[in-house]
Amino acid sequence: MTSRSSCVRIAALLALAALAGCRAGKPGAAQSGTIRWVKHHITVGGKRDRNPFPATASNIDDGKQAFTQYCMVCHGLDGQNTGVPFAATVDPPVPSLASDEVQSYTDGQLKWIIQHGVSPSGMPPSEGVFADDDMWKMVLYIRHLPKAGSLGEPAVYNGGSK
């Protein structure tokens, strides 16, 4: 073994030892506040966009129908993660759409998130999956979510056929 290969191996072992001491943990209040501010003011677009649909029972129901075709796999039928086995264990966790953090976005920002997704989280974009009208109506549903647990869990997780 040459001295150069020995140095490379020693450097690799030292790097591995240093990385072994690194740990990711739950962010503190300051870090969480900074992340929230950046998302609300820089990362997520659409802040000034206005929902062209009024919050009628029919429009909210249309939004619910679109939501339950795609979004329920991660957010549950009620938008609050009911029955989603991985919602709390993925990193970052799937947020409850009833949470203050989510509800504090403008309608335009929620539509932007639905359309473009949130990288690097698990939130995929749905542009091309839904028409603009459907995404705006999903925002209405998110603004008028039912009581947590009231719709049960998605059939995909309980062996049902719904």
Side-chain angles (χ1 to χ4, degrees):
M1 182 150 69
T2 67
S3 69
R4 177 178 161 93
S5 65
S6 294
C7 287
V8 169
R9 286 184 183 189
I10 291 170
L13 287 172
L14 288 173
L16 284 173
L19 289 174
C22 294
R23 291 195 178 107
K26 186 174 181 178
Q31 185 179 6
S32 294
T34 301
I35 292 167
R36 188 173 18 266
W37 186 90
V38 168
K39 285 194 297 187
H40 277 79
H41 295 93
I42 297 172
T43 308
V44 175
K47 188 170 189 168
R48 290 187 172 86
D49 296 345
R50 300 289 174 236
N51 195 331
F53 294 95
T56 64
S58 176
N59 286 336
I60 293 167
D61 189 59
D62 288 349
K64 175 184 176 184
Q65 297 310 313
F67 183 91
T68 58
Q69 291 175 25
Y70 188 73
C71 310
M72 63 82 188
V73 174
C74 294
H75 293 286
L77 296 168
D78 58 12
Q80 296 163 72
N81 308 339
T82 299
V84 180
F86 58 84
T89 59
V90 294
D91 189 19
V94 178
S96 166
L97 300 182
S99 70
D100 290 341
E101 182 177 349
V102 172
Q103 292 293 321
S104 67
Y105 285 110
T106 67
D107 283 3
Q109 288 176 308
L110 289 175
K111 194 258 187 186
W112 189 95
I113 290 169
I114 294 167
Q115 183 174 357
H116 299 285
V118 178
S119 183
S121 78
M123 175 67 186
S126 62
E127 187 168 38
V129 177
F130 292 105
D132 263 16
D133 292 0
D134 292 329
M135 289 186 264
W136 281 119
K137 290 176 180 179
M138 280 191 272
V139 169
L140 293 176
Y141 177 64
I142 291 167
R143 293 288 189 216
H144 297 88
L145 293 170
K147 182 179 174 189
S150 64
L151 302 179
E153 63 184 48
V156 67
Y157 298 122
N158 68 15
S161 59
K162 255 187 177 176

